[in-house]
Amino acid sequence: MDANRWRLTRELFEAVVDLPRARWESRLAELCPDDAALREEVLGLLRADADATGGTAIAQHAPNVVAELAEHLSEDPTVHAGLALGPFRLVREIGRGGMGAVWLADRADGQFEQAVAIKLVRGGWDRAEDIARFRAERQILAGLSHPNIAHLVDGGMGEGGRPWLALEYVDGVDLGRWCDKHRLDLADRQRLFLTVCDAVQHAHQRLVVHRDLKPSNILVRADGVVKLLDFGIAKLIDADDAQVSATRVFTPEYAAPEQVRGETVTTSVDVYALGLLLYELLSGQRPYKVENSTPAAYERAILDQEPTRPSVAATRDGGGMSAANRHLTPARLRRELRGDLDAIVLKALRKQPTDRYASVADLAADVRRHLARQPVHARRGNFRYRATRFLQRHALAAALSAVAVLALVAGLGVALWQAQVARNERDTARQALAFMRTLFTNADPGQKQRGDLTARDLVDEGVRSVRRALAGQDAARADMLLAMGSAYLGLGLPDEAQPLLDEAGAIAQRLGDTLLVARILDETCSVLQYRNRADDCVPLVDRIEAMLDPSDPEHVETLVRAIDHRSTAHAPRNRHDAIVADSRRALALIPATADYDRLRADVTGTMAFSLVRLNRAAEAEAALRPLVDALRKAQNVEPRWLADVLDNFASTLTTKTDEALALNAEAVRLMESVYGADSPVIAGKVSNYGVALYKANRYTDALPVIERSIALNRAGGTPRATSLANALGNLGALHFQLGHDDASRAALNEAIELSEALQRPLDIGRALRWRANLSLAQARYADARADAQRATSVLAPLNKPESITVLRGRALNLAIDYAERGSAARTDAACAEAQGIAARFAALPEAGTPEARLATLLHALCGAAPAEAFKTAYAALPPDDFRQRQVRRIEAAWRTD
């Protein structure tokens, strides 16, 4: 019976079931006059229902019914406390389900300490069925042994013949809530889901279908271990159903269509339930929209509706909370779910069991393929499907043909392989040499009749020559195309680089050259990052890691650079712990030889950057100083390499201002010597120098440097947009510090607009906070409060609650309140907040900074001498610090009161 017919059948059944039996046929004829077969199906259901309930002998079961009702009405949680069952003694009730109550119990025989969960089968009017289900559950659990399934400890019959089961006690929370509480990203959620799949597959291998998989039956302990619970309605696949239950028992929200229709239950029921679970873990939503949260409404939705794609459901009603719980923006969450994950989940949720994954293992395998960035089977194309079906129909002929072809190929391969390799190597060497000769000839100004050839001219000529010089030599041509693409990117020309990388990638794929494919993917990562699409690089890095062998020396450099690229995607989300961990892993892969010094320096610089942001600057300095000393002594060091190392090292010298400034200035000069003073490529080093001057309180010196970095970024166009947004934020902060309020607001407005377009939450939050500070100094309190609160909403999900970033936001919001409301803002709650902020600042390395001193003022205003607090604050703050203006605003409000 299809879903529509079942829905009609159910509606007719519900419309007639309460009528006297004599009126069934006439009423059905009125409701369904044109479908005699459907009327017969409904009559069959009505008669079966009457037969099942007509012989219930309710009078015979009345004592049990009354006893159970009394037990529920009493709602006394201590009714069985202290009851001894076998070696256990009940402590307290911890749950109640369809079969009865679940109690926490302790071992009471003195042999050893043990806490268990004991199921007490309820007293019921169908007691024989309950006992049969109890025995089935005990038998099922006895046959399961898996670290992620709560195991059977003991069981027996209590006084009055009441059955009980002692199970492993799991002190945890359900899987969904645990993931949200720990704000796991999508990859970690999928890995936990795979743990559940392994447990369910273990049960299936032992011919057990759980039949009631749902979040409340999957708990996670405090140590992160997943436990699958409640096999109370599980089904033995090879058992006689009558021996277990003749009743349809399931949770409507997590039931498969065949369960709702009352059809045969197979392992596909659990596949469907796991699809629902994965849907919720990924999107934070349910796949069906129901008007009323009733069992009937859920059943109708399961039968009639097609599930909404997770990528669409995830951003329903904005999706802000779901995205924040996964360290993503709503737009990014939608993009992450679109494609593979949509396909995997929807395949698991197909209405017909035969259209789903054939097993839980197949579902898990597709999830693993997605995590490894490999093609998932849920998205197989039509051609492959048709080819597979053809081979299935002609299996014997196809097998014999394959054997014949393989034999022929093997014979020819043995005969021709050595000769072909020799010819290929000879031809490749000759054509590569010819290509290089042509390239150098073209570099001669006399040959081109011009004396102003640039690096761009040389690369352009090389690209035009590569196809002619290396015709027929695919491997060499792919290598040269990759080199030309890298050269374009080094010149800041990603749009010119990408087509060459695409062409090289197609050749490498055709050749089956794994390492070359990985190198091209890694360079494509560089292009994506240059285009402000670092997130899109992460799947490529995952593919590279899946392709390469870290124990193969030829693979190491590409693998390490790919891991280093992932850090660029982590940085905008403040995931510096992850960057440090990845960097240490990458450093451990690099051989301890001089050949890898450049690679080691790059990765160490990445790690140092994140260590500084984790307030571990001393570790960062210790890691980079030996490298700087070695480069100073070395001969013929590449200027670009030295500039990168010096710039990274300068950022670690947080308390050595003069040395840091000298290093930043030297890095800029080195970059200018290579690329020229007007190249957008040097904008990053110029910006870093300007920021260093700002941090040294040399505001007037910093202004032209930061303005220069902005001009260079603008000249670089779209590829420099991220750097431009960051530089504009720096310019806005600097103008504010110098008292140039209009210029500050203009720069910050542009920074916010550009950062929003680029979806850079850290840059958005920082610029908003600076604009809030500016509005506070200008007494524009409504604007200040709106920006401060929005900055908090953007930055808080990306930072730990105790971080300096969150602390700054709390202090700013409190300062705005004090400036707007004066002493009226001095409530008990505000004073407690001020005390907490001041105490936290005192425990951080930023204890002596102006922002920490402002926090001290906010706390001091809760004391008995506000005038003295203001006097102390003015004296403690640098005379040219913008917080002097904010203190004046607060003081004016306080004195007015």
Side-chain angles (χ1 to χ4, degrees):
M1 186 182 299
D2 62 26
N4 288 331
R5 193 167 184 84
W6 169 253
R7 178 177 54 79
L8 290 172
T9 302
R10 185 178 180 85
E11 289 175 355
L12 289 170
F13 174 88
E14 291 175 349
V16 175
V17 68
D18 291 329
L19 296 176
R21 190 164 187 155
R23 291 195 54 199
W24 286 352
E25 293 191 33
S26 59
R27 182 57 177 158
L28 284 174
E30 295 172 6
L31 297 173
C32 181
D34 301 323
D35 194 336
L38 182 59
R39 293 199 302 272
E40 282 301 316
E41 289 172 1
V42 177
L43 282 171
L45 286 176
L46 291 168
R47 295 185 187 107
D49 178 71
D51 292 343
T53 57
T56 56
I58 192 167
Q60 172 184 335
H61 293 282
N64 286 332
V65 175
V66 173
E68 182 182 6
L69 180 61
E71 180 180 327
H72 280 284
L73 290 176
S74 68
E75 294 192 357
D76 180 2
T78 64
V79 66
H80 293 305
L83 177 66
L85 294 172
F88 304 104
R89 191 173 304 278
L90 301 186
V91 177
R92 69 175 187 276
E93 184 177 316
I94 57 175
R96 184 174 288 273
M99 285 185 67
V102 181
W103 284 72
L104 174 65
D106 289 334
R107 196 170 190 95
D109 60 2
Q111 297 296 316
F112 51 88
E113 293 185 0
Q114 184 181 27
V116 297
I118 287 189
K119 272 191 176 183
L120 280 177
V121 175
R122 60 176 170 79
W125 67 316
D126 197 3
R127 193 176 181 89
E129 181 180 341
D130 281 344
I131 293 174
R133 284 171 56 195
F134 155 78
R135 288 172 177 163
E137 181 177 7
R138 182 173 62 183
Q139 182 60 45
I140 286 168
L141 287 169
L144 299 179
S145 178
H146 190 277
N148 300 111
I149 295 178
H151 60 269
L152 176 68
V153 176
D154 202 350
M157 303 291 286
E159 294 181 5
R162 190 171 193 177
W164 60 271
L165 285 178
L167 309 169
E168 174 187 357
Y169 173 60
V170 181
D171 185 8
V173 297
D174 76 58
L175 182 61
R177 286 196 296 132
W178 195 87
C179 290
D180 287 346
K181 177 182 177 183
H182 292 81
R183 297 179 60 210
L184 297 190
D185 60 23
L186 293 180
D188 286 340
R189 289 168 185 258
Q190 289 172 72
R191 293 185 185 100
L192 273 181
F193 173 76
L194 289 173
T195 302
V196 178
C197 289
D198 289 343
V200 176
Q201 181 64 16
H202 172 84
H204 287 185
Q205 288 170 342
R206 281 145 187 81
L207 304 180
V208 175
V209 185
H210 190 286
R211 294 204 295 176
D212 197 26
L213 290 170
K214 55 188 176 182
S216 61
N217 282 339
I218 304 167
L219 300 187
V220 186
R221 300 188 318 212
D223 60 0
V225 174
V226 177
K227 289 287 184 177
L228 180 58
L229 313 178
D230 199 358
F231 281 80
I233 64 169
K235 175 179 180 287
L236 289 168
I237 297 173
D238 61 349
D240 181 356
D241 285 355
Q243 294 175 358
V244 179
S245 175
T247 306
R248 290 192 307 151
V249 184
F250 51 77
T251 304
E253 300 95 310
Y254 296 93
E258 61 266 33
Q259 283 178 289
V260 175
R261 293 192 294 261
E263 297 171 356
T264 302
V265 170
T266 66
T267 56
S268 194
V269 165
D270 286 348
V271 171
Y272 185 91
L274 287 170
L276 291 173
L277 178 66
L278 183 58
Y279 193 113
E280 291 188 25
L281 288 177
L282 296 177
S283 70
Q285 305 286 343
R286 288 185 176 175
Y288 303 112
K289 296 184 68 174
V290 295
E291 296 180 0
N292 301 304
S293 298
T294 63
Y298 280 115
E299 290 187 12
R300 282 194 296 272
I302 289 166
L303 294 174
D304 298 343
Q305 293 184 25
E306 288 299 324
T308 305
R309 289 183 175 274
S311 59
V312 175
T315 52
R316 191 182 293 152
D317 302 324
M321 183 60 69
S322 294
N325 284 338
R326 291 153 179 81
H327 289 288
L328 296 169
T329 62
R332 184 61 188 166
L333 175 59
R334 183 170 58 250
R335 288 199 302 272
E336 289 285 341
L337 296 179
R338 187 185 300 135
D340 282 0
L341 290 175
D342 274 347
I344 290 170
V345 171
L346 293 180
K347 180 169 182 175
L349 294 181
R350 289 178 183 171
K351 301 297 184 188
Q352 293 301 321
T354 54
D355 293 336
R356 298 175 203 147
Y357 287 99
S359 68
V360 173
D362 288 348
L363 167 60
D366 241 6
V367 174
R368 289 189 174 94
R369 288 187 195 95
H370 172 74
L371 288 172
R373 300 299 173 184
Q374 297 171 347
V376 300
H377 288 179
R379 300 182 73 182
R380 281 179 171 171
N382 291 333
F383 172 80
R384 184 169 184 175
Y385 173 76
R386 290 195 299 270
T388 300
R389 291 299 294 255
F390 174 85
L391 292 175
Q392 288 174 344
R393 288 196 301 271
H394 305 285
L396 179 59
L400 292 174
S401 298
V403 170
V405 170
L406 286 173
L408 178 60
V409 170
L412 290 173
V414 170
L416 300 175
W417 175 69
Q418 290 181 331
Q420 187 61 46
V421 167
R423 283 194 297 271
N424 286 344
E425 289 180 351
R426 180 199 63 198
D427 293 344
T428 297
R430 287 177 177 174
Q431 296 210 35
L433 182 60
F435 169 74
M436 296 303 295
R437 187 183 299 115
T438 302
L439 199 57
F440 284 117
T441 299
N442 289 334
D444 181 356
Q447 292 288 335
K448 303 303 281 188
Q449 298 183 352
R450 53 179 288 193
D452 59 347
L453 282 174
T454 65
R456 168 69 186 269
D457 295 328
L458 187 59
V459 179
D460 287 346
E461 185 61 35
V463 171
R464 285 190 288 271
S465 302
V466 69
R467 294 176 180 85
R468 296 193 304 270
L470 296 173
Q473 300 300 317
D474 282 351
R477 191 165 82 255
D479 264 326
M480 288 298 177
L481 288 168
L482 172 57
M484 296 294 103
S486 299
Y488 272 133
L489 191 60
L491 294 171
L493 301 169
D495 290 340
E496 285 76 1
Q498 189 60 64
L500 301 182
L501 296 177
D502 291 341
E503 184 177 350
I507 295 171
Q509 289 280 6
R510 188 167 66 248
L511 295 174
D513 188 333
T514 299
L515 179 57
L516 184 56
V517 170
R519 289 170 54 209
I520 294 165
L521 289 174
D522 183 59
E523 196 63 25
T524 303
C525 262
S526 299
V527 173
L528 290 170
Q529 291 172 358
Y530 212 94
R531 287 172 164 171
N532 312 306
R533 292 168 52 195
D535 284 351
D536 293 337
C537 178
V538 175
L540 303 186
V541 174
D542 291 340
R543 284 180 60 190
I544 293 168
E545 286 200 89
M547 293 164 62
L548 299 185
D549 180 1
S551 65
D552 187 335
E554 292 187 354
H555 291 192
V556 166
E557 182 169 359
T558 303
L559 180 58
V560 168
R561 291 204 180 280
I563 295 171
D564 197 43
H565 271 136
R566 184 189 283 118
S567 300
T568 305
H570 285 324
R573 289 181 172 75
N574 239 20
R575 301 187 64 186
H576 294 291
D577 285 324
I579 293 174
V580 171
D582 270 351
S583 296
R584 293 197 189 283
R585 182 164 67 90
L587 288 169
L589 296 174
I590 301 174
T593 64
D595 294 339
Y596 293 93
D597 283 349
R598 177 66 183 271
L599 181 62
R600 191 177 296 104
D602 290 346
V603 177
T604 304
T606 300
M607 182 177 69
F609 171 86
S610 289
L611 285 171
V612 171
R613 278 146 187 80
L614 292 169
N615 294 318
R616 294 158 61 184
E619 289 181 55
E621 180 183 350
L624 277 176
R625 188 174 287 279
L627 179 59
V628 171
D629 293 341
L631 288 178
R632 293 287 197 199
K633 298 174 184 176
Q635 299 292 324
N636 300 320
V637 176
E638 295 177 32
R640 173 63 187 267
W641 177 18
L642 181 58
D644 287 343
V645 174
L646 295 180
D647 196 55
N648 287 330
F649 185 47
S651 71
T652 72
L653 304 177
T654 55
T655 60
K656 301 171 183 176
T657 304
D658 291 341
E659 184 181 2
L661 284 172
L663 291 169
N664 284 125
E666 184 179 358
V668 172
R669 289 194 299 272
L670 287 167
M671 293 292 287
E672 289 174 338
S673 72
V674 177
Y675 297 99
D678 298 326
S679 172
V681 175
I682 75 170
K685 299 293 188 293
V686 174
S687 180
N688 290 344
Y689 181 39
V691 171
L693 288 167
Y694 173 87
K695 290 180 177 177
N697 299 324
R698 292 172 54 178
Y699 305 131
T700 304
D701 294 335
L703 183 58
V705 177
I706 291 180
E707 287 177 333
R708 180 189 175 196
S709 76
I710 289 174
L712 290 170
N713 280 311
R714 290 193 194 281
T718 301
R720 306 296 307 175
T722 299
S723 298
L724 176 60
N726 185 267
L728 285 166
N730 293 335
L731 181 65
L734 180 55
H735 274 310
F736 176 37
Q737 185 71 62
L738 291 168
H740 308 156
D741 287 3
D742 290 344
S744 173
R745 189 171 293 278
L748 292 171
N749 287 345
E750 187 178 358
I752 292 167
E753 181 180 358
L754 185 53
S755 298
E756 287 173 336
L758 296 170
Q759 296 186 1
R760 303 275 296 183
L762 281 177
D763 291 339
I764 295 169
R766 289 166 182 160
L768 283 169
R769 184 166 292 166
W770 275 111
R771 196 168 70 180
N773 275 300
L774 171 62
S775 295
L776 168 57
Q778 294 179 322
R780 295 170 59 170
Y781 300 124
D783 293 340
R785 186 179 304 283
D787 278 348
Q789 290 177 349
R790 187 177 166 211
T792 297
S793 70
V794 171
L795 293 174
L798 303 175
N799 292 273
K800 296 178 180 178
E802 67 274 13
S803 71
I804 184 65
T805 299
V806 172
L807 195 62
R808 286 170 179 152
R810 291 168 58 190
L812 177 58
N813 279 290
L814 191 59
I816 295 168
D817 205 30
Y818 275 22
E820 183 177 20
R821 299 174 55 211
S823 59
R826 187 172 55 180
T827 64
D828 289 344
C831 288
E833 172 73 346
Q835 181 179 12
I837 292 170
R840 181 63 189 155
F841 263 117
L844 292 174
E846 291 81 3
T849 60
E851 58 192 352
R853 289 165 181 161
L854 179 61
T856 301
L857 167 67
L858 300 177
H859 180 219
L861 288 177
C862 288
E868 187 65 28
F870 284 115
K871 181 178 178 181
T872 302
Y874 285 127
L877 289 168
D880 57 351
D881 190 84
F882 68 86
R883 293 171 189 83
Q884 290 270 4
R885 296 173 63 187
Q886 295 179 336
V887 172
R888 286 196 292 274
R889 290 296 181 191
I890 297 172
E891 183 183 24
W894 224 264
R895 292 193 185 283
T896 301
D897 293 343

